[in-house]
Amino acid sequence: MVSERAHDAAGFAPLAPPTVWQGWDAFVSRPPAPARDAADPAWPQAEREDYHSELAVMRTPVMDSIFTAVRRLLLLNRRQQAGARRGLIISGPATTGKTTTMMALGRSFQLADARQHPGHGGRRPVLFISVPPAATPKMLVSEFARFLGMPITDRLNQTQITSAVCDLLCELGTQLVLIDDVHLLDTQRRAGAETSDQLKYLGERIPATFVYSAIDIETSSLLSGVRGAQIAGRFKIFRHPPLPYATAQDQAVWDDLVQAMEGMLRLHAHRPGTLVKHAAYLHQRTAGRIGSLSHLIREAALIALTEGTERITKQLLSEVALDAAAETQARPTRPARRK
């Protein structure tokens, strides 16, 4: 068996996933790669590649609104002792930045908690998991246990694992539970319905605010029937759509996002303002999807680095193939017909 800490061909140790506490803590505490001067001869090529590989996605008005909504829910839930607390579902199409927003939310909350409780390194204020495919109640709660590093044996049944997880989360002071890919729960099937019930039970046992992320939750089976009515009665749904580009205000938000990402580039020959100049083209290519925009700019920057051109042009951007969702949604701009 290959160790999880085995190094890749380039000699870098892979990061633990954020769905275990070691990986989550590394994500929360890891500072961004230093933005040194591109002309610095002491900045190795490999480090410049790493820097451009992890260019941060900038905050948007939608992200700010979600942060505010969750802060209010945390206050609302703080003194509630009985019943499931109020929660929030971040819903939208794929690659619009839902998971990125949820992780940024958890990071912000955990850093704030560390400032409020200095010296209490044993706290676990945030838990982050992803719903496994074809999840059963035992599989779901085992993801909670895996995040916490609790040993799970075949001898333990679902009730025992659930009880141990709830007790430990209460002991560790967990206040925010983030669950990604909730749309994978098909409540029209027995396993999915029972797992939905398990989520409700966990929400009642754990004194925390639950935030779900899902692809277009409004059209999923999770909100249908009696179980769906219970979820709809406890959770706000916050849409996380692609960013529009129809009005002057829409364009200003998108242009600011592009400008901020361009400002982080460290390429020797790149002309500042090039990406902002092509902001409308970038929106058309990505259909306003933040994840697709990040992919496009980061891959173009890495190509410019590895091929030695050290600049991003519209031609280079057009050569980068994006995810199928963005490519399907993107529509080429057509000139207006002459009358």
Side-chain angles (χ1 to χ4, degrees):
M1 179 183 291
V2 178
S3 167
E4 288 186 2
R5 297 187 62 83
H7 288 58
D8 62 18
F12 298 105
L15 298 173
T19 50
V20 297
W21 71 263
Q22 299 94 329
W24 176 259
D25 280 3
F27 162 72
V28 170
S29 60
R30 182 164 56 111
R36 296 157 66 176
D37 188 337
D40 184 353
W43 197 3
Q45 174 82 357
E47 289 186 10
R48 277 210 301 146
E49 291 172 0
D50 282 351
Y51 170 79
H52 288 90
S53 176
E54 63 174 350
L55 282 181
V57 174
M58 310 309 295
R59 290 271 289 268
T60 66
V62 171
M63 294 174 70
D64 288 336
S65 297
I66 290 173
F67 277 38
T68 299
V70 172
R71 282 196 297 268
R72 291 172 178 171
L73 286 174
L74 285 161
L75 287 172
L76 183 69
N77 292 333
R78 191 161 62 185
R79 301 299 294 174
Q80 182 173 339
Q81 292 181 309
R85 290 151 187 82
R86 299 291 167 171
L88 185 142
I89 303 175
I90 304 171
S91 176
T95 72
T96 54
K98 298 180 299 299
T99 301
T100 299
T101 295
M102 190 159 62
M103 291 180 65
L105 169 69
R107 182 177 189 272
S108 176
F109 181 79
Q110 183 157 318
L111 290 173
D113 184 85
R115 290 191 295 269
Q116 293 173 3
H117 302 90
H120 293 270
R123 289 175 60 82
R124 287 269 157 257
V126 178
L127 179 142
F128 175 78
I129 67 162
S130 182
V131 173
T136 63
K138 185 175 181 179
M139 288 169 62
L140 179 73
V141 78
S142 293
E143 288 297 305
F144 280 67
R146 189 169 74 94
F147 179 92
L148 295 168
M150 297 173 59
I152 300 296
T153 66
D154 293 337
R155 298 178 183 178
L156 296 176
N157 60 36
Q158 173 192 327
T159 302
Q160 291 170 320
I161 300 171
T162 300
S163 180
V165 163
C166 292
D167 290 346
L168 184 55
L169 288 175
C170 291
E171 180 182 334
L172 294 174
T174 303
Q175 299 174 61
L176 188 61
V177 174
L178 308 174
I179 304 180
D180 200 13
D181 293 331
V182 175
H183 58 271
L184 293 178
L185 294 179
D186 184 358
T187 55
Q188 294 181 349
R189 297 179 178 273
R190 180 177 176 180
E194 291 176 348
T195 306
S196 174
D197 291 342
Q198 173 78 311
L199 271 179
K200 178 179 178 294
Y201 179 75
L202 291 169
E204 293 172 345
R205 281 286 309 273
I206 302 166
T209 296
F210 280 61
V211 177
Y212 300 161
S213 172
I215 294 177
D216 295 332
I217 193 70
E218 300 90 337
T219 62
S220 78
S221 63
L222 200 65
L223 297 183
S224 63
V226 175
R227 289 183 175 90
Q230 289 181 321
I231 295 173
R234 291 185 172 96
F235 281 79
K236 293 183 179 183
I237 297 179
F238 210 107
R239 289 292 299 173
H240 201 300
L243 291 176
Y245 204 67
T247 68
Q249 184 176 0
D250 295 339
Q251 293 168 15
V253 170
W254 179 262
D255 293 356
D256 286 347
L257 179 65
V258 172
Q259 184 175 33
M261 294 193 71
E262 183 171 30
M264 293 189 294
L265 294 175
R266 294 297 183 270
L267 300 173
H268 293 157
H270 182 74
R271 288 185 176 183
T274 300
L275 296 188
V276 177
K277 176 184 176 182
H278 298 303
Y281 167 76
L282 290 169
H283 189 274
Q284 178 261 315
R285 278 295 314 279
T286 62
R289 297 169 184 258
I290 296 176
S292 302
L293 175 68
S294 174
H295 172 182
L296 178 57
I297 293 177
R298 287 184 296 121
E299 185 168 341
L302 291 169
I303 292 171
L305 276 168
T306 55
E307 295 188 355
T309 61
E310 295 283 347
R311 60 195 295 255
I312 298 178
T313 63
K314 187 177 180 180
Q315 177 62 34
L316 174 57
L317 292 168
S318 70
E319 294 171 1
V320 176
L322 290 178
D323 53 275
E327 296 288 7
T328 300
Q329 291 294 322
R331 294 290 181 268
T333 303
R334 297 179 179 177
R337 287 185 179 180
R338 293 184 178 179
K339 294 182 179 180

